[in-house]
């Protein structure tokens, strides 16, 4: 009976670690250059992820196809950060909270994409260029 109970405890312990995404803190320096690039492939301390999801502020996306999002839905309801999810084979393996001083709203500002709750970027394209405008750093895309 003890072996059975220990086995259940051990499997539950392993299962919790597998389904709880790791938080990856972004270190934003006090003195940010006028122009800079944020490369998530360099920041992520996890080896296995294939895409990055940038979630629109205040969105409540329907991620039925993803595993591991249950505990993160409250993180989209904030004025101080934007939720970024690292995904590996449809499973969220980690997340970061991007401070709103880095303005990612450019992703949603054109009329064709304003209704999207999130954007998915392949790992190879998880690089964003920013340029300072007044008190924030605005995302610079090829279209701007």
């Amino acid at each position: 009976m003890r072996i059975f109970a220990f086995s259940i405890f051990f499997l539950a312990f392993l299962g919790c670690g597998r389904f709880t995404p790791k938080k990856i803190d972004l270190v934003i320096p006090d003195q940010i250059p006028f122009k800079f690039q944020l490369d998530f492939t360099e920041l992520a301390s996890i080896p296995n992820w294939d895409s990055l999801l940038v979630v629109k502020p205040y969105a409540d996306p329907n991620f039925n196809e993803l595993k591991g999002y249950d505990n993160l839905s409250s993180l989209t309801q904030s004025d101080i950060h934007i939720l970024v999810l690292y995904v590996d084979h449809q499973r969220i393996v980690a997340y970061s909270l991007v401070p709103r001083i880095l303005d990612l709203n450019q992703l949603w500002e054109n009329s064709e994409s304003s209704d999207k709750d999130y954007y998915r970027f392949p790992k190879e394209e998880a690089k964003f260029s920013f340029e300072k405008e007044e008190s924030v750093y605005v995302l610079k895309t090829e279209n701007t």
Side-chain angles (χ1 to χ4, degrees), residues 45-61:
S45 57
I46 51 172
N48 297 323
W49 59 284
D50 54 36
S51 59
L52 189 75
L53 298 181
V54 179
V55 182
K56 184 177 185 176
Y58 298 106
D60 191 15

Side-chain angles (χ1 to χ4, degrees), residues 95-124:
Y95 69 97
S96 290
L97 301 175
V98 177
R100 293 290 290 271
I101 192 169
L102 304 178
D103 187 359
L104 291 167
N105 286 329
Q106 187 69 23
L107 294 173
W108 291 277
E109 286 186 357
N110 74 45
S111 60
E112 295 174 11
S113 61
S114 61
D115 60 336
K116 291 185 178 182
D117 285 336
Y118 64 92
Y119 276 89
R120 183 184 295 258
F121 297 92
K123 184 176 185 176
E124 300 78 34

Side-chain angles (χ1 to χ4, degrees), residues 51-101:
S51 59
L52 189 75
L53 298 181
V54 179
V55 182
K56 184 177 185 176
Y58 298 106
D60 191 15
N62 184 4
F63 287 134
N64 289 333
E65 74 277 7
L66 296 177
K67 296 175 180 75
Y69 185 70
D70 297 336
N71 298 331
L72 300 175
S73 58
S74 65
L75 297 177
T76 64
Q77 308 300 313
S78 174
D79 273 337
I80 59 173
H81 61 257
I82 292 176
L83 180 63
V84 174
L85 305 172
Y86 302 83
V87 178
D88 183 39
H89 295 92
Q90 300 303 96
R91 176 178 300 278
I92 298 169
V93 293
Y95 69 97
S96 290
L97 301 175
V98 177
R100 293 290 290 271
I101 192 169

